[in-house]
Amino acid sequence: MTSIAIRPITDADVPGAAAALMNVHETDGYPVEGVEDPEAWIRPPAVLSAWVAEESGTIVGHVAVMRPQGEGAVSLWQDRSGEGEERIGVLARLFVVREARKHAAGERLMRAAMDYAKQNSLRLVLDVMTKDTGAIRLYERLGWKHIGEVSHYFGAGQQIPAACYVWPAT
């Protein structure tokens, strides 16, 4: 049986996480941006905390909790709840290589991020491209609530439909 460890990311993990990201981009088209410099996309300044999934010394997944940066999900939640931005975290940059998905790596990464949010009294929100139906199923199975739809803008004027979710626990 394969064992996947979930742990906080280190600087030494970034190249492996970047390689896993490129693998996911090739198989799933995620992310739609950031692949020109995957290491920078994984470690942007807004990250509060991040984790990797590791299998036999290879990084196979990643997730981050970030400070809000104008995401549609943040605006939707603030409009609905009146909650201040300082109490909101954005679950972002979740990816798992296809071969590791059957071992619940995505769910375990999500749970690490949700535990962090609970310990730090943060309300988590996210947006997910509507084409990413597997991710949407995971979020809903873990109790996340759909709060609306936005357009995700990227590149030179490109956009794609995205669904916004909030994690109801804090």
Side-chain angles (χ1 to χ4, degrees):
M1 176 163 189
T2 302
S3 177
I4 295 179
I6 307 298
R7 60 177 175 73
I9 193 170
T10 67
D11 289 341
D13 295 324
V14 174
L21 175 69
M22 296 308 294
N23 176 302
V24 171
H25 179 72
E26 289 171 17
T27 60
D28 300 332
Y30 176 86
V32 293
E33 73 268 310
V35 294
E36 66 282 346
D37 189 353
E39 290 188 16
W41 189 83
I42 289 166
R43 295 299 292 260
V47 170
L48 295 169
S49 196
W51 300 265
V52 292
E54 181 182 31
E55 179 180 28
S56 302
T58 300
I59 303 300
V60 296
H62 172 273
V63 71
V65 173
M66 299 175 60
R67 287 184 288 283
Q69 301 177 90
E71 293 87 355
V74 173
S75 298
L76 283 173
W77 180 246
Q78 286 184 294
D79 289 347
R80 181 176 285 191
S81 70
E83 207 157 20
E85 197 172 273
E86 70 281 353
R87 297 220 343 99
I88 298 172
V90 178
L91 188 127
R93 289 157 166 70
L94 173 65
F95 58 88
V96 175
V97 300
R98 187 166 284 167
E99 300 77 31
R101 293 176 194 166
K102 60 186 170 233
H103 300 289
E107 178 176 341
R108 293 179 57 213
L109 285 163
M110 291 283 300
R111 290 193 185 283
M114 294 183 309
D115 287 346
Y116 172 86
K118 194 169 193 174
Q119 292 165 4
N120 290 278
S121 301
L122 291 174
R123 171 80 62 193
L124 288 179
V125 299
L126 63 82
D127 67 44
V128 56
M129 292 172 281
T130 56
K131 73 173 186 64
D132 294 330
T133 57
I136 290 170
R137 282 192 305 272
L138 172 63
Y139 303 144
E140 291 177 352
R141 187 167 46 80
L142 293 176
W144 288 66
K145 302 299 179 201
H146 183 263
I147 58 172
E149 305 284 326
V150 297
S151 289
H152 178 83
Y153 296 93
F154 63 99
Q158 295 177 294
Q159 63 179 318
I160 190 167
C164 298
Y165 285 82
V166 63
W167 183 50
T170 57

